[in-house]
Structure formats: C-alpha cells, structure tokens
C-alpha cells in the first residue's frame, strides 16, 4: 500500500489517502480536497482522473491488454458467443448452461418490437442518420416498457437487459430497412442472436437470407470485441446520465449519442471514407499520411491512436485476423483492404506515429468486415452500438448498485467576467 500522498500549497500541507486497484492501478483520493484546501483539481478530458471503481473491464494500454471480468479477450476468439459474454459482463461470472439458455430464451421472446413502435419508423425520412433513429427508438422503449423505469431486483434487471439487448438488434435492422425502402422482416425465433440480426437485415418476404456460419462467428466476435472498454466517452455518458437515477433506456440513448462522434464510435465510418478517398485516386497512402502528420491539415489517420492504448489495440489484431478469414471465406477482394494494409505498414515504421505510440485501434479493420458482409457504411456505428450495449448495461448496473451512488457533478475553473451589472436596453443602445 503506497501510504498517503502529501500536497503542499499556500503554506499548508495536506495528507491525501491513496488506493491501489487489483492490477496495481494507483490513485490519490481527492474526494475531500476542496473541503480541506479550497482547491479543486483541473483535468480537461479527465485523462488523469478515475471517476469510479469498477470490476468489469481491465485495460493495460502500455501492454495492449484487454480483459472482461479478468478473462483476456483473445480467449473468446475460438468460440465467439456474444450473448455469453454479455451475460458475463453484466453478472460478473460465466453463466451456467441453464442460465445462458434462460437468458437466450428471454432474448428470443423479446426480439419483436411493439407494433405501434414499428410504425414510428415510417415517420423518419429515408435518409435519416441511423444513429439518430437508434438513439430515438431506444429512448422510445421507455414509452412501451414503463415497468422498467425503476429496477425492483436482479431478476427484474435481467429481464430489462434482455429486452434492451434483443430489441436494439431489431431497431438497428429496421433503421436499415427503412433507409433502403424495403419491408421490415420479423425476427425468427429459431435463429441465434447474430443470425437473427442478419436475417432481419437482409431477408426479404420472398427470399430468406441464408446465414453463413463463418460470418455468424465473425459477427459474434466483432460484437464481443466492442462489448466493453472501461470508462470510454460513451460509457462515461451512460454512467453520468444514470447517476441522476434516470432509467436505463434514457442512459443508453445518451450513450448512443456520445458514440456517434467521429473521434469515438464514428471513427469506423471515417476510416472507410478515408480509404475510399485514397482508393478514388484523390491521394496516395504516402500523401495521406503526410496530411495526417501536418498540423495545419485537419486530416487524421482515422482508426489509429487511442487515449489509453499506447500499443497495438488487442481488438485490432483480432479484427484484422477476422477480416482475413471473412475475405477468404467470401472469396472477396477489396482494394480498400490493400490500402488499409499499406497505411498500417507505412505508419508502423513512421517516426511520427511510432514516437506518439499511435497504433491501429478497434475501428481500423471493423468497417472492412462489415462492408464484406454487406452492411453499408452509414450502419457501421450502429453495429458498434449493438456490440457496446452489454457493456453500457453492466456499467450502469454497477453504478446503480453502489449504495453511495452520487450524482456526477464536476466542478469548473471559472474564467468569465467578474461581478457585472444589468444595463437596461435604452442605456445599451450604442451612442
Ligand atoms: C474508440 O476510449 C475508448 O476506449 C474508445 C474506444 C472504445 O472502445 O470505446 O476504444 C473506441 O473511440 C477508438 C478511437 C477511435 N477514434 C479514432 O480512430 C480517431 C483518430 N484518433 C484520434 O483522433 C486520437 O488518437 C484519439 C481521439 C483516439 C485519442 O486522442 P488523444 O488521446 O486525446 O490524443 P491527442 O489527440 O492528444 O493526440 C496526441 C498526439 C497529437 O500530436 P502532438 O500534438 O503530440 O504533435 O498524437 C496525434 C495528435 O495530433 N494524433 C494523431 C492521431 N491521433 C493522435 N495524429 C494523426 N492521426 C491520428 N489518428
């Protein structure tokens, strides 16, 4: 145990307690700092601030480690089962056979949307951004499932989690169908989670989409790799909204909005647009990297870099391998994959990227797999939502169960006008 931290300021010395996490993460507890010293801390972006204790996901950014409830993500790759991992994240252990079967049955039973909700989609323009539709429809679930606006017990929460995880897939598929002007396809209770999603996305009333087991496996793995990532921007958003005791639907709808940003989940769309721009001949990979390094140019090497990983994102490695498997299975050739490989090869030996420890992240290869499966670019971040939802739910529950759960309300350093007076309009009119 490292003992207290000592802070000396304004001629005073303060002893601040410290704490150490189960993987050696060290923290200084400043929860009493303002009361005792009158000082707050200042940490824009909160890159040096722990907002909670959590036992769900562990990341070691320097070593490129990612574990869900202690299990390295690489161990899920051989037999990817997204719903099993969702249960693990939410409940803190791997399920027994009957627990997984019971949860899967709840997902199957809750796949359809209320018929009145289905009609809501007709109100959206066909070119509505799918992330706006998904966020709105997750929030709308609160209108049709009032009984989950407050949580009674763990069994009640598991029912809610199953409904959300199941229905987000239907909402995503309907948002896609709406954008294509094609008929909605009801979920098929005989299909597993990912197969049912692909069925709702690509089947037509007269033509059942046949799910390739390797593609189903790839989708399970992609969702698993997106399932949680400790206190990232969207998960922090879910916790902040949940800290006001807002319901889970409202909290996850807010998480969708945070994930939409191009610096976060929206990066998978930006990666494809970057690769497409290079492919269309606008710029060579070498020239694009030069733009990404040029501070006067807003271009960035999308899909590269990470606030926490200063090593190769372990998810990117697994996604690259999944990408090669899917392309081989589908006998696909994609010039964008060749460009991605070239960009990675150049960047990994370029001092600009090496010195800043910028490596491929989760978004660099995921879009290429979605594109090979037939999912359009505008749906890529929605795919991230489906994957990340169990992590949001687990993190929301962990905070909800904390007795001392305080509303998140940070301070600020005020830099505006000091005391000022109201000036009536007649005196304001410039002479
Ligand atoms: C996700 O938090 C999570 O866990 C997120 C996520 C999850 O699972 O929830 O992992 C998902 O959001 C992955 C990240 C997806 N975003 C992108 O791929 C967008 C491109 N990457 C960057 O914009 C950037 O790397 C961030 C936003 C991801 C991280 O930014 P930081 O940690 O705030 O780093 P920074 O902006 O302070 O950059 C440090 C330096 C700067 O140069 P200098 O000022 O030191 O000269 O690195 C440069 C930056 O200009 N830099 C890049 C770059 N990323 C950082 N330069 C070119 N291309 C890039 N991609």
């Amino acid at each position: 145990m490292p003992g207290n931290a000592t802070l000396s300021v304004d001629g005073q010395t303060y002893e601040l307690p410290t704490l150490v996490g189960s993987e050696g993460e060290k923290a200084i507890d400043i929860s009493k700092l303002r009361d005792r010293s009158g000082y707050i801390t200042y940490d824009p972006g909160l890159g040096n601030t722990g907002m909670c204790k959590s036992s769900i996901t562990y990341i070691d950014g320097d070593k490129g480690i990612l574990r869900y409830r202690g299990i390295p993500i690489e161990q899920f790759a051989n037999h990817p089962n997204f719903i099993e991992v969702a249960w693990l994240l939410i409940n803190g252990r791997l399920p027994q056979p009957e627990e997984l079967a019971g949860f899967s049955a709840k997902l199957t039973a809750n796949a359809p949307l209320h018929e009145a909700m289905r009609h809501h989609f007709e109100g959206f323009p066909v070119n509505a951004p799918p992330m706006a539709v998904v966020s709105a429809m997750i929030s709308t679930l609160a209108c049709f499932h009032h009984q989950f606006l407050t949580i009674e017990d763990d069994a009640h929460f598991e029912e809610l989690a199953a409904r959300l995880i199941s229905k987000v897939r239907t909402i995503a598929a309907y948002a896609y169908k709406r954008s294509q002007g094609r008929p909605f396809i009801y979920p098929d209770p005989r299909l597993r989670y990912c197969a049912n999603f692909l069925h709702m996305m690509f089947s037509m009333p007269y033509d059942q989409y046949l799910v390739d087991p390797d593609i189903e496996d790839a989708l399970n793995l992609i969702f698993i790799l997106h399932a949680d990532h400790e206190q990232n921007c969207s998960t922090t958003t879910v916790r902040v909204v949940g800290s006001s005791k807002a319901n889970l639907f409202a909290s996850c709808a807010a998480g969708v909005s945070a994930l939409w940003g191009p610096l976060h989940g929206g990066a998978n769309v930006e990666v494809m647009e970057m690769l497409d721009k290079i492919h269309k001949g606008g710029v060579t990979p070498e020239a694009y990297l030069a733009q990404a390094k040029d501070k006067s140019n807003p271009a960035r090497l999308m899909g590269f870099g990470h606030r926490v990983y200063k090593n190769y994102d372990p998810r990117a490695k697994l996604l690259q391998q999944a990408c090669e498997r899917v392309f081989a299975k589908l006998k696909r050739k994609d010039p964008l994959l060749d460009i991605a490989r070239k960009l990675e090869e150049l960047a990994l030996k370029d001092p600009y990227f090496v010195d800043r420890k910028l490596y491929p992240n989760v978004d660099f290869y995921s879009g290429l797999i979605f594109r090979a499966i037939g999912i359009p670019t505008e749906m890529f971040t929605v795919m991230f939502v489906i994957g990340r939802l169990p992590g949001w739910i687990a993190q929301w529950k962990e905070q909800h169960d904390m007795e001392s759960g305080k509303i998140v309300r940070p301070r600020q350093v005020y830099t505006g006008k000091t005391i000022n007076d109201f000036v009536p309009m007649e005196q304001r009119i410039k002479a």
Side-chain angles (χ1 to χ4, degrees):
M1 197 59 180
N4 286 346
T6 302
L7 172 69
S8 295
V9 64
D10 293 347
Q12 297 286 327
T13 300
Y14 304 92
E15 293 293 315
L16 298 170
T18 58
L19 56 160
V20 181
S22 50
E23 286 288 345
E25 187 108 67
K26 290 182 279 190
I28 298 170
D29 180 342
I30 56 166
S31 50
K32 300 280 186 296
L33 178 66
R34 188 171 183 273
D35 291 348
R36 293 174 54 195
S37 71
Y39 274 79
I40 61 170
T41 56
Y42 177 62
D43 183 20
L46 302 181
N48 301 280
T49 299
M51 73 170 272
C52 63
K53 292 177 186 172
S54 180
S55 58
I56 298 171
T57 291
Y58 173 67
I59 297 174
D60 182 322
D62 296 324
K63 295 183 187 138
I65 288 172
L66 173 56
R67 300 183 196 138
Y68 294 157
R69 299 288 187 179
I71 301 173
I73 53 160
E74 291 80 4
Q75 295 187 16
F76 299 113
N78 301 327
H79 38 78
N81 181 332
F82 174 56
I83 297 311
E84 182 176 50
V85 172
W87 201 97
L88 164 74
L89 288 170
I90 294 167
N91 295 283
R93 61 177 172 82
L94 289 166
Q96 291 301 316
E98 66 279 3
E99 289 170 322
L100 184 57
F103 192 59
S104 298
K106 287 191 176 88
L107 288 163
T108 300
N110 284 290
L113 298 184
H114 188 291
E115 282 298 296
M117 252 189 94
R118 260 168 35 91
H119 295 305
H120 281 226
F121 287 86
E122 286 141 32
F124 292 113
V126 289
N127 62 349
M131 286 294 275
V133 174
V134 169
S135 180
M137 297 308 274
I138 287 178
S139 209
T140 302
L141 287 172
C143 306
F144 291 85
H145 303 274
H146 293 255
Q147 68 273 42
F148 294 105
L149 297 187
T150 50
I151 307 301
E152 288 153 17
D153 54 32
D154 283 352
H156 190 234
F157 185 81
E158 174 157 305
E159 177 67 28
L160 167 57
R163 288 190 187 206
L164 244 181
I165 292 170
S166 188
K167 293 183 189 299
V168 75
R169 174 192 45 173
T170 312
I171 288 169
Y174 286 5
Y176 170 65
K177 286 285 193 167
R178 170 74 186 147
S179 72
Q180 302 295 309
R182 293 183 194 147
F184 293 169
I185 297 294
Y186 283 102
D188 179 341
R190 295 162 297 181
L191 297 175
R192 289 185 299 267
Y193 189 85
C194 291
N196 217 344
F197 171 68
L198 292 169
H199 160 63
M200 288 190 278
M201 284 283 287
F202 299 126
S203 288
M204 293 293 271
Y206 46 82
D207 180 17
Q208 171 100 8
Y209 174 82
L210 296 178
V211 181
D212 178 317
D214 291 334
I215 302 303
E216 184 183 1
D217 270 356
L219 203 49
N220 269 287
L221 179 61
I222 292 171
F223 286 152
I224 288 169
L225 296 178
H226 285 79
D228 195 49
H229 215 239
E230 55 148 88
Q231 305 312 315
N232 59 85
C233 177
S234 52
T235 299
T236 300
T237 302
V238 170
R239 278 184 173 257
V240 168
V241 174
S243 76
S244 73
K245 300 299 176 208
N247 63 76
L248 184 60
F249 300 117
S251 304
C252 291
V256 173
S257 300
L259 192 69
W260 193 353
L263 291 188
H264 190 14
N268 55 19
V269 175
E270 304 277 327
V271 169
M272 296 310 284
E273 288 170 0
M274 171 183 74
L275 298 176
D276 203 40
K277 191 161 84 171
I278 296 171
H279 175 55
K280 286 205 169 94
V283 64
T284 62
E286 293 78 359
Y288 189 87
L289 282 190
Q291 289 176 18
K293 298 190 294 186
D294 174 1
K295 294 299 167 202
S296 64
N297 190 316
R300 284 204 151 183
L301 182 54
M302 300 313 280
F304 259 68
H306 199 277
R307 172 63 57 79
V308 175
Y309 288 122
K310 300 311 170 190
N311 199 325
Y312 212 107
D313 183 335
R315 301 168 297 177
K317 267 193 195 119
L318 292 167
L319 285 167
Q320 187 195 24
Q321 291 159 8
C323 200
E324 305 292 352
R325 283 198 304 275
V326 166
F327 275 67
K329 173 70 186 202
L330 297 176
K331 299 184 179 51
R332 282 290 295 264
K333 284 263 177 244
D334 189 340
L336 300 194
L337 177 57
D338 300 333
I339 293 169
R341 287 187 188 120
K342 184 67 181 165
L343 284 171
E344 180 179 356
E345 177 205 324
L346 292 170
L348 292 184
K349 57 189 181 194
D350 182 313
Y352 174 93
F353 295 94
V354 174
D355 296 349
R356 291 169 178 79
K357 298 182 179 177
L358 302 175
Y359 295 91
N361 60 48
V362 67
D363 293 304
F364 194 62
Y365 285 104
S366 54
L368 287 160
I369 304 175
F370 293 145
R371 182 175 138 108
I373 295 174
I375 293 164
T377 303
E378 60 272 13
M379 284 291 291
F380 285 6
T381 314
V382 171
M383 299 300 284
F384 201 143
V385 170
I386 298 172
R388 184 52 53 88
L389 189 61
W392 289 340
I393 291 171
Q395 298 267 354
W396 187 93
K397 177 80 163 45
E398 184 176 68
Q399 174 176 270
H400 178 273
D401 289 351
M402 268 167 50
E403 287 311 313
S404 62
K406 282 187 165 186
I407 188 166
V408 176
R409 201 282 186 212
R411 296 282 180 160
Q412 63 171 20
V413 174
Y414 176 70
T415 55
K417 281 190 182 345
T418 50
I419 188 74
N420 200 353
D421 293 312
F422 178 80
V423 178
M425 184 60 83
E426 58 278 9
Q427 294 172 32
R428 249 179 280 164
I429 297 166
K430 289 207 178 4

